[in-house]
Amino acid sequence: MNAIDNKWIGTRTIRPDGVDKVTGRAGYAADNVMPGMVWGKVLRSPHAHAVIRSINTAKAEALPGVKAVVTAADIVNFPLDKSVMLGIQDMRWMCRNVMAREKALFHGQPVAAVAATTAEIAAEACKLIEVDYEVLPHVIEIDDAIAPNAPILHDFIKYEGKPSNIAGTMVNKVGDIEAGFAQADLVIERNYDTRPVHQGYIEPHACTVSCTADGKVTIWSSSQGQFMVRAMTSLLTGISQSNIRAIPAEIGGGFGAKTIIYLEPVAVMLSKKSGRPVKMVMSRDEVFRATGPAPGMKATVKIGMKKDGTIVAAHGVYYLQAGGLPGSPLRGPVGCSFAPYNIANVLSEGFDVVSNRPKVAAYRAPGAPLGAFAVETVIDELCEKLGLDPLEVRIKNHARPGDKAVYGATFGSITFVETTDAMLKHPHYKAPLDKAPAPHIRRGRGVASGFWYNAGGESSAQVNITEDGNVTVTTGHPDVGGSRASTANVTAELLGIDHSRISVLIGDTASIGFSNLTGGSRVTFASAMVVTQSTEKVIGQLKERAARIWKIDPEAVDWENGEARPAGANAGKFPALTLKELAAKANEMGGPIGAGIQLNTVGADPGFATHIVDVEVDTQLGIVRVIRYTACQDAGRSLHPSYVEGQIQGGVVQGIGWALSEEFLYDKTGKMDNASFLDYRMPVCSDLPMIEAVALEIPNPKHPQGVRGVGEAGILPGLAAIANAVHDAVGKRFFSLPLSPPKVLAVLDS
Amino acid sequence: MTDIRYLAPQTLDEAVGAFAAAQGAARILAGGTDLLVQMRNGMAKPGTIIDIKKIAELTTIARTADGGFRVGAAVSGAVLAEHESFGTVWPGVLEAVNLIGSTQVQGRASPGGNLCHGSPAADSVPAMVAAGAVLTIQGPNGRRELPVEAFPAGPGRTKLAPGEILVSFTLPARPKGSGDAYLRMIPRTEMDIAVVGLAVNLTMANGVVTAARVGLGAVAPTVLLVEAAAKALIGSKLEDAALETAAAACRAACNPINDKRGTIEYRTKVAGVLLKRVAAIAAERAGRA
């Protein structure tokens, strides 16, 4: 499969979902309409922190047109003292995140919900719900949350024996950092802070739910995993998984945040109570106020280096904002930040800090860009002060296959050195840069690297030959990054037939075997594996049918170019049988042809990225613009290069927004002050240069096509690479993100 | 859903009559790029909408007898951009009007709406102020004129009396050697609201500034005419000292707030930077005119 004469793998075939998307016909969750459907609307907390003393829904229920009202009393209560996990999500927190229980923990947290015949009546009814709040002092920032007299969000959370907003810790350790720092010629320690950022998917959360009189529930929703929707809804409503069918809609972006649910259990209970199908669609305002941002961070990173560039010791301390309920992605910064390098002495510590903000959700390599920002800027400063080339230093220290990472794994077929080496040799790295093209303009160049675990996990596929000799392939995970196009390429290659004869579908929870979330850079890796094995089984069946027709041994049949051919001693004895011919004879020769595979896939070795960026700084206005960007990752094998490039470019853009302009702003009452795309400033097209994606193709030996996950690593280096480039341009270091114009100008003028 | 009356009168008299009769329950609709957004998010709930786009005087661009322009309040940015000579005479006003919203929004958004919305950050207003535009306003008591800088009354508020409708902007004739320009500071390159907006309108003879006006936006409750900055430029050859004096005057005129879009300190600094940059562009255009 790794032959260079592939006909379909590695080509830019037309995407299966393309026509529907450009013509507006693609079925997103908000497009769904059903007979008798009513509209659900959520009442949200107007307070950042308050005890909910009581909720009176009588007036809302009496409003004509209202069909049901739900509160936390309708959602399964997971007691605070006992953890119930689904994957990485604790149902104690999820049940309170979908509907506040004892307390409102952030402005915008759901408190109740209404279903009514129109969205307007539902909104009107929400205003009639009387909630008796006891407003409590709130806390937003990490420093305030861990201060000695901070308002405590959860009395049952203890740290060092006392009630605390530190809800969890994580430590990775190897060697002895004090002994390591003693060997260093230069030690640099810096403090960092960053703001929460939102995933910014263009499609707000939406679902339609139908709960019928016999207790069967059907959910149409936008998510990164229909099986996650089923399992989590089951846990939060008490309805068995066999009675829930989750049908995945097309997804308008998720970037990790749609790996949890917000609306579905609420809609199920509204539908169950009202006997009507219920539709719920969030507004952008609700998306910003109540769905998962990535955490903000406060960190200290200290690294010791020898004059020759050897990193001898590293210490990272990361405080992450979990939001109102515990669970920030500590394994991102703690495990990933130092993982690219083979360092003898490392201590990496993480603290999960709750405060009165929305609960964080996964965002592209969760938490890891934050750690990379801190570590990769300290490395840059060490290189600068020791007069060393920053890419050469990375290559010198890079972890190699067989090295043990600080997070515990022993690396397999990693390609960190190759990736960085490709950037060292890239023309961009040595390209001339006019550093002062105008009196108030300064330009600079920066580099940085980043590490992500990647993942395998559970996936299922079913490959069926249609009666007319064409092919349908069904997998079980929503397509956010081109998995259908990649699947079609793999199947066409294996079967040796034209790509247009293959139809790739995403099954619902009743029609395909369990498949884990689309996330962790796992889906193309895992789905190609199960699709390959399923297709190979189908080819086995096809060869067996041909053998039966020819009355020869199945071992004596080859499958080539979409047809069975007699091989070995029988070569040439019979005319080849095409897929169409075999399909036409299927029933008389043993029945329908098709096969499925369900696997827990393994062998997804980590991903790694190195970026080079040129920036331009307007020193009078403090504006930083990215003028050239080159991003390198090893894709192992690009099944569909356009999607690999798209993943890399998408990660880069999100990193640019994180570095330069995106941040959650809060007013004094603990309410988000910029809950719109106008004032939450994600980059727009005109803010960006063309991003050059360099995808190396060093096949992963543990995968049939050689695939290595690419979805996440592309977001890792940007934050540090841009900060390093700004330093190169203006001679000042920045330790706080975003590099917004007022912040940059204040440093330049200081 | 509440019912909304929609009226599209053909004459200004009808429009003024209906608007006055509604006694505050009506809103004027030009492009609707502010009004419809306000209605969607619940900030505006008008009982009557009076669409003024069917009234010829509000949608035409005409030359005045003395060679100036009269621009109807509801003329869209896209129509103004397509006019055969407006953009060559008033490039600064045009570039400011064309910054209102995206390309799609430009097909509807008008300078009249931009002014009547009352935002201190409105892009077209500093340019109109620098241009010395005079407004024609019609109401139940007839017509009146008002310099554009006297129109805003505070964030979201104007000096329109009840029942009055903004009819047009009259821009004066241009002496030879005139040029204007507008720049705004926004963190992004598009899709943003001015953190500071500044317009300069200059007339020059033999390299010496003979007339100047400076409009400054987003740094005070209303868009400002900065007369002290204009005074520093008049009589100068835009030497560094004159520009610095004018920049200092702009900084001194600032009375901004700290908000999600910018800080007091930042906005004040940027006002001075923009004065110098905009003056240079206006002077370059004046040299060509």
Side-chain angles (χ1 to χ4, degrees):
Chain A
M1 284 318 304
N2 292 323
I4 52 164
D5 60 348
N6 284 332
K7 189 166 178 201
W8 300 106
I9 287 174
T11 66
R12 298 169 194 263
T13 48
I14 301 284
R15 54 194 285 175
D17 53 325
V19 170
D20 278 355
K21 283 182 178 166
V22 299
T23 57
R25 284 176 176 268
Y28 292 93
D31 295 328
N32 208 25
V33 178
M34 293 184 76
M37 187 182 87
V38 295
W39 293 80
K41 181 86 188 148
V42 174
L43 174 70
R44 296 179 181 278
S45 170
H47 305 295
H49 194 193
V51 172
I52 299 172
R53 288 194 192 118
S54 66
I55 302 176
N56 184 345
T57 62
K59 284 182 189 161
E61 286 170 62
L63 185 71
V66 171
K67 299 295 175 189
V69 179
V70 305
T71 65
D74 299 291
I75 302 292
V76 174
N77 183 11
F78 288 84
L80 291 164
D81 56 359
K82 186 165 172 280
S83 175
V84 175
M85 300 300 290
L86 176 71
I88 60 168
Q89 302 300 337
D90 191 325
M91 291 305 115
R92 288 180 294 172
W93 320 139
M94 289 312 302
C95 78
R96 287 163 177 80
N97 203 41
V98 303
M99 201 56 79
R101 199 161 275 280
E102 305 83 359
K103 266 178 156 186
L105 295 160
F106 57 92
H107 177 273
Q109 188 177 3
V111 173
V114 175
T117 48
T118 69
E120 289 77 16
I121 294 172
E124 200 56 42
C126 282
K127 291 183 197 155
L128 297 176
I129 295 172
E130 295 162 343
V131 186
D132 182 12
Y133 292 104
E134 178 193 342
V135 178
L136 302 172
H138 66 275
V139 61
I140 298 290
E141 303 300 342
I142 293 172
D143 279 333
D144 299 331
I146 61 177
N149 294 315
I152 297 295
L153 271 69
H154 305 281
D155 293 333
F156 64 94
I157 292 176
K158 303 271 196 300
Y159 180 71
E160 293 179 339
K162 282 180 285 192
S164 170
N165 290 321
I166 295 178
T169 58
M170 177 182 249
V171 178
N172 285 175
K173 187 173 184 295
V174 60
D176 174 353
I177 54 166
E178 290 315 318
F181 285 123
Q183 299 164 31
D185 292 313
L186 180 61
V187 175
I188 290 178
E189 179 181 285
R190 296 293 182 201
N191 298 316
Y192 294 85
D193 71 273
T194 75
R195 322 302 303 156
V197 295
H198 201 271
Q199 295 84 347
Y201 31 88
I202 202 158
E203 180 205 24
H205 301 260
C207 70
T208 307
V209 168
S210 174
C211 183
T212 54
D214 61 355
K216 303 280 186 194
V217 174
T218 309
I219 301 170
W220 293 262
S221 74
S222 166
S223 80
Q224 287 174 244
Q226 60 272 43
F227 290 90
M228 174 279 298
V229 170
R230 183 178 73 176
M232 214 175 273
T233 303
S234 171
L235 284 163
L236 296 177
T237 61
I239 298 168
S240 72
Q241 290 192 14
S242 60
N243 278 332
I244 300 173
R245 182 179 173 204
I247 301 176
E250 284 291 346
I251 179 169
F255 311 107
K258 291 179 185 168
T259 56
I260 58 173
I261 53 176
Y262 298 90
L263 298 174
E264 287 87 339
V266 177
V268 165
M269 296 318 294
L270 287 171
S271 181
K272 193 173 174 183
K273 282 187 150 183
S274 65
R276 303 279 203 105
V278 173
K279 177 169 177 165
M280 300 184 83
V281 181
M282 281 196 202
S283 66
R284 180 62 56 190
D285 186 79
E286 290 178 292
V287 170
F288 272 117
R289 293 191 194 286
T291 74
M297 175 190 75
K298 165 191 157 74
T300 302
V301 165
K302 179 179 178 185
I303 300 177
M305 196 179 268
K306 288 188 169 235
K307 278 180 188 156
D308 69 354
T310 306
I311 301 172
V312 288
H315 185 196
V317 181
Y318 313 96
Y319 290 83
L320 262 55
Q321 283 163 333
L325 294 152
S328 63
L330 294 181
R331 74 190 276 269
V334 171
C336 293
S337 306
F338 299 119
Y341 309 110
N342 188 18
I343 309 171
N345 307 291
V346 178
L347 178 58
S348 200
E349 304 172 87
F351 297 88
D352 188 32
V353 182
V354 291
S355 66
N356 298 109
R357 295 171 171 270
K359 175 175 168 50
V360 296
Y363 180 23
R364 213 168 199 146
L370 298 168
F373 167 56
V375 168
E376 297 288 312
T377 48
V378 172
I379 291 177
D380 196 72
E381 191 173 350
L382 285 162
C383 293
E384 178 216 346
K385 299 218 161 117
L386 291 172
L388 301 168
D389 179 283
L391 287 184
E392 305 263 19
V393 164
R394 283 174 175 83
I395 289 170
K396 183 182 184 71
N397 290 283
H398 264 334
R400 286 163 167 78
D403 286 348
K404 193 165 189 292
V406 67
Y407 68 87
T410 299
F411 288 129
S413 64
I414 54 168
T415 50
F416 299 173
V417 176
E418 291 85 342
T419 319
T420 307
D421 194 52
M423 287 292 89
L424 185 66
K425 290 173 179 147
H426 192 281
H428 183 176
Y429 193 49
K430 295 280 157 61
L433 183 67
D434 181 354
K435 295 194 82 168
H440 63 283
I441 299 291
R442 292 290 178 272
R443 289 179 181 159
R445 179 169 294 157
V447 299
S449 297
F451 166 96
W452 180 246
Y453 303 102
N454 286 346
E458 308 94 324
S459 282
S460 301
Q462 175 73 31
V463 177
N464 289 331
I465 306 300
T466 58
E467 301 95 291
D468 63 356
N470 292 305
V471 185
T472 63
V473 184
T474 307
T475 64
H477 7 65
D479 177 0
V480 300
S483 58
R484 277 171 293 189
S486 299
T487 295
N489 283 2
V490 167
T491 314
E493 194 73 52
L494 290 166
L495 281 170
I497 61 171
D498 194 88
H499 173 270
S500 65
R501 290 172 62 189
I502 295 161
S503 177
V504 185
L505 308 167
I506 297 158
D508 63 61
T509 53
S511 65
I512 187 72
F514 179 80
S515 298
N516 210 327
L517 293 162
T518 299
S521 299
R522 64 172 289 274
V523 158
T524 301
F525 172 88
S527 66
M529 206 175 255
V530 289
V531 166
T532 297
Q533 292 194 17
S534 302
T535 308
E536 283 170 347
K537 274 176 104 171
V538 165
I539 291 170
Q541 291 173 18
L542 291 163
K543 285 158 70 172
E544 190 190 312
R545 304 298 168 89
R548 210 181 287 182
I549 292 167
W550 292 328
K551 300 189 172 57
I552 62 174
D553 190 75
E555 304 299 311
V557 179
D558 281 346
W559 186 264
E560 277 176 52
N561 287 325
E563 54 188 31
R565 293 173 183 170
N570 300 305
K573 279 192 186 163
F574 310 101
L577 284 164
T578 65
L579 183 58
K580 275 184 194 302
E581 288 165 336
L582 287 165
K585 292 177 195 282
N587 281 352
E588 59 193 90
M589 288 295 158
I593 302 169
I597 280 285
Q598 294 167 277
L599 274 187
N600 185 10
T601 64
V602 294
D605 282 334
F608 179 81
T610 296
H611 294 181
I612 308 170
V613 58
D614 294 352
V615 301
E616 186 171 281
V617 183
D618 183 326
T619 57
Q620 294 173 341
L621 298 178
I623 297 173
V624 178
R625 300 256 184 257
V626 175
I627 56 173
R628 186 174 179 186
Y629 208 114
T630 308
C632 182
Q633 259 169 269
D634 175 18
R637 170 59 43 94
S638 298
L639 300 180
H640 193 298
S642 300
Y643 276 109
V644 170
E645 290 157 11
Q647 286 293 322
I648 294 172
Q649 289 166 333
V652 167
V653 171
Q654 292 183 319
I656 291 172
W658 205 328
L660 296 181
S661 56
E662 294 181 38
E663 58 182 319
F664 274 57
L665 302 171
Y666 280 85
D667 70 11
K668 285 182 185 138
T669 69
K671 178 180 170 189
M672 186 184 177
D673 201 20
N674 59 333
S676 77
F677 277 142
L678 178 62
D679 289 311
Y680 179 85
R681 294 188 176 102
M682 296 181 76
V684 297
C685 277
S686 54
D687 295 329
L688 304 164
M690 185 61 199
I691 295 153
E692 186 184 345
V694 178
L696 302 186
E697 303 233 357
I698 306 166
N700 175 0
K702 295 173 191 160
H703 189 271
Q705 284 80 28
V707 168
R708 190 182 290 276
V710 293
E712 279 157 306
I715 198 173
L716 301 169
L719 287 59
I722 289 169
N724 292 340
V726 172
H727 168 261
D728 187 48
V730 301
K732 299 211 175 182
R733 296 249 168 222
F734 290 81
F735 307 103
S736 174
L737 297 182
L739 298 175
S740 60
K743 214 186 262 182
V744 171
L745 196 62
V747 172
L748 290 179
D749 289 351
S750 67
Chain B
M1 287 294 278
T2 22
D3 289 337
I4 299 170
R5 261 177 95 215
Y6 170 83
L7 303 174
Q10 304 280 331
T11 69
L12 196 49
D13 286 341
E14 279 178 74
V16 168
F19 193 34
Q23 295 188 328
R27 289 287 299 267
I28 298 295
L29 174 75
T33 59
D34 283 318
L35 178 61
L36 297 185
V37 174
Q38 289 179 350
M39 287 170 64
R40 283 244 168 101
N41 66 21
M43 283 168 63
K45 288 179 180 161
T48 303
I49 289 174
I50 302 167
D51 185 343
I52 54 172
K53 290 194 293 296
K54 301 271 195 298
I55 304 166
E57 191 180 358
L58 278 100
T59 55
T60 43
I61 306 165
R63 296 307 292 246
T64 56
D66 66 354
F69 282 93
R70 184 174 297 117
V71 179
V75 168
S76 74
V79 167
L80 197 61
E82 285 171 4
H83 189 269
E84 56 182 7
S85 57
F86 185 86
T88 53
V89 181
W90 292 105
V93 173
L94 183 62
E95 68 196 355
V97 170
N98 287 161
L99 281 171
I100 306 166
S102 60
T103 301
Q104 293 90 329
V105 168
Q106 278 289 307
R108 285 275 166 179
S110 63
N114 202 218
L115 179 63
C116 290
H117 186 53
S119 167
D123 284 308
S124 68
V125 180
M128 288 289 190
V129 167
V134 174
L135 306 173
T136 298
I137 294 163
Q138 187 161 323
N141 300 322
R143 283 202 171 208
R144 65 179 176 120
E145 294 194 334
L146 191 69
V148 67
E149 61 270 21
F151 185 81
R157 294 185 295 117
T158 74
K159 302 254 179 73
L160 282 175
E164 281 191 322
I165 296 173
L166 175 64
V167 178
S168 63
F169 297 82
T170 301
L171 286 82
R174 297 293 265 161
K176 195 174 168 351
S178 297
D180 72 331
Y182 173 77
L183 286 179
R184 63 175 180 177
M185 188 285 157
I186 53 172
R188 289 187 288 205
T189 48
E190 291 286 347
M191 297 294 287
D192 229 327
I193 289 180
V195 175
V196 182
L198 190 144
V200 173
N201 175 23
L202 295 176
T203 302
M204 302 184 75
N206 303 318
V208 176
V209 177
T210 58
R213 285 172 68 89
V214 176
L216 180 55
V219 294
T222 65
V223 172
L224 304 171
L225 173 68
V226 191
E227 285 173 318
K231 202 174 151 197
L233 298 177
I234 294 168
S236 81
K237 293 186 169 179
L238 299 179
E239 305 87 344
D240 286 350
L243 286 170
E244 183 45 47
T245 306
C250 288
R251 288 193 292 267
C254 290
N255 178 24
I257 54 170
N258 276 325
D259 73 358
K260 59 194 172 190
R261 295 183 183 134
T263 60
I264 292 169
E265 189 192 6
Y266 182 75
R267 285 184 152 121
T268 306
K269 272 186 201 167
V270 167
V273 173
L274 289 189
L275 179 280
K276 295 180 188 178
R277 293 189 186 182
V278 181
I281 301 167
E284 198 267 333
R285 288 173 178 171
R288 276 189 272 137

